[in-house]
């Protein structure tokens, strides 16, 4: 963790994390001004986790067999093609479900939630996201503020083990990556993060929740709820789901938990 932050273990669940602060600048995403975190963001620095999934390009080229030496001129040999970078796996919103690249599914939060794009990279591998507008044109122009839910595979750069402690640590790292992607590093956390072991479709998992302070001119919101969970798929990989729910719409929080319980592993 970053200097000055520390784990504080409690008597309930698997402990809590003290909220911290970090400096930084501003940013935005899909018309929503967003910011971030002291929450265990230091975990990203310690582990070297990248917010965006990086696909490495192959450096080598296919060898070309040259003809044996002769007195006549050698024929021209065309250079071999450089291997192309494979596209990253993508999830998508299909009907009433978010479908991850691994065919796992999560139901949409509701019919008013819209597709927010495939290939989401907020700590995910092959995920997709949905969006629900809470405040439209709150600045008198085109700015939107709303609720966000993304689901997909856990970024494989985030290692985890199928133990309560291992799932908790993976959730901390994945949530940190997601918050860093969604927010700029100047947001203050409110209170303490909570940790809860969960079971989804017969698979063990871990849930993390934390509030972030919101201070945006003309926006009638003071905080947002960040909720996230990592679920072990049982094959050495895991799923990750992240939600950002505006403080003025707390009724979506139990809906999110209910939809997490409806996630189907293996299609």
């Amino acid at each position: 963790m970053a200097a000055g932050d520390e784990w504080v273990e409690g008597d309930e669940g698997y402990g809590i994390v003290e909220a911290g602060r970090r400096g930084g600048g501003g940013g935005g995403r899909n018309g929503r001004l967003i910011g971030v975190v002291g929450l265990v963001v230091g975990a990203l620095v310690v582990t070297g986790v990248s917010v965006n999934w990086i696909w490495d390009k192959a450096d080598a080229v296919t060898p070309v067999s040259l003809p044996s030496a002769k007195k006549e001129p050698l024929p021209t040999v065309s250079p071999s093609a450089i291997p192309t970078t494979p596209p990253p796996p993508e999830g998508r919103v299909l009907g009433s479900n978010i479908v991850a690249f691994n065919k796992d599914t999560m139901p949409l939060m509701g019919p008013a939630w819209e597709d927010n794009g495939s290939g989401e990279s907020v700590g995910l591998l092959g995920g997709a996201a949905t969006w629900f507008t809470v405040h439209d044109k709150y600045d008198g122009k085109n700015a939107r503020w709303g609720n966000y839910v993304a689901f997909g595979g856990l970024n494989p750069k985030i290692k985890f083990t199928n133990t309560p402690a291992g799932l908790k640590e993976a959730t901390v790292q994945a949530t940190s990556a997601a918050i860093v992607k969604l927010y700029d590093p100047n947001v203050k956390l409110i209170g303490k993060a909570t940790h809860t072991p969960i079971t989804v479709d017969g698979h063990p998992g871990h849930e993390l929740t934390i509030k972030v302070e919101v201070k945006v001119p003309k926006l009638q919101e003071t905080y947002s709820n960040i909720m996230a969970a990592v679920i072990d798929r049982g094959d050495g990989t895991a799923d990750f789901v992240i939600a950002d729910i505006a403080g003025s719409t707390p009724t979506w929080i139990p809906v999110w938990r209910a939809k997490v319980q409806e996630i189907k592993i293996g299609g």
Side-chain angles (χ1 to χ4, degrees), residues 5-260:
D5 291 339
E6 62 179 358
W7 287 100
V8 179
E9 294 299 334
D11 295 327
E12 299 179 359
Y14 290 100
I16 52 180
V17 181
E18 291 286 358
R21 306 182 70 175
R22 291 172 66 85
R29 190 177 191 281
N30 292 335
R32 174 174 182 176
L33 298 176
I34 328 190
V36 105
V37 25
L39 172 83
V40 293
V41 170
L44 295 178
V45 178
V46 174
T47 61
V49 174
S50 173
V51 172
N52 294 310
W53 181 244
I54 299 173
W55 295 90
D56 296 325
K57 295 182 178 180
D59 293 325
V61 297
T62 304
V64 177
S65 298
L66 298 177
S68 58
K70 296 181 181 179
K71 292 183 179 180
E72 60 269 19
L74 294 175
T76 301
V77 179
S78 299
S80 61
I82 298 176
T84 58
T85 303
E90 291 188 355
R92 57 179 176 161
V93 175
L94 183 61
S96 60
N97 289 293
I98 302 175
V99 182
F101 83 105
N102 56 19
K103 308 304 180 184
D104 293 352
T105 62
M106 176 181 177
L108 300 185
M109 296 279 283
W113 287 67
E114 59 188 80
D115 186 349
N116 200 54
S118 299
E120 284 293 321
S121 59
V122 287
L124 302 173
L125 174 66
T130 55
W131 172 271
F132 176 83
T133 300
V134 177
H135 303 285
D136 193 19
K137 299 180 181 179
Y138 64 83
D139 63 346
K141 298 179 181 178
N142 297 316
R144 293 190 304 158
W145 187 275
N147 298 337
Y148 171 92
V149 171
F151 171 70
L154 177 68
N155 187 324
K157 287 194 173 184
I158 299 174
K159 305 303 179 182
F160 77 100
T161 56
N162 185 14
T163 65
L167 286 167
K168 176 182 175 180
E169 179 61 22
T171 307
V172 165
Q173 293 185 29
T175 304
S176 298
I179 294 178
V180 167
K181 182 70 174 182
L182 290 170
Y183 286 77
D184 89 32
N186 199 35
V187 151
K188 176 184 177 182
L189 298 181
I190 301 172
K192 301 173 181 178
T194 61
H195 295 273
T196 308
I198 60 175
T199 300
V200 176
D201 196 23
H203 294 254
H206 190 89
E207 177 193 294
L208 182 155
T209 64
I210 186 70
K211 288 182 172 64
V212 296
E213 184 180 70
V214 172
K215 287 186 177 180
V216 178
K218 300 182 181 181
L219 177 66
Q220 299 301 308
E221 294 287 349
T222 59
Y223 71 93
S224 277
N225 301 284
I226 302 296
M227 299 172 293
V230 167
I231 305 157
D232 181 14
R233 302 184 71 246
D235 62 355
T237 66
D239 284 337
F240 178 55
V241 55
I242 176 80
D244 186 343
I245 306 297
S248 65
T249 62
T251 54
W252 285 113
I253 294 176
V255 175
W256 179 81
R257 287 197 169 102
K259 297 303 181 182
V260 168

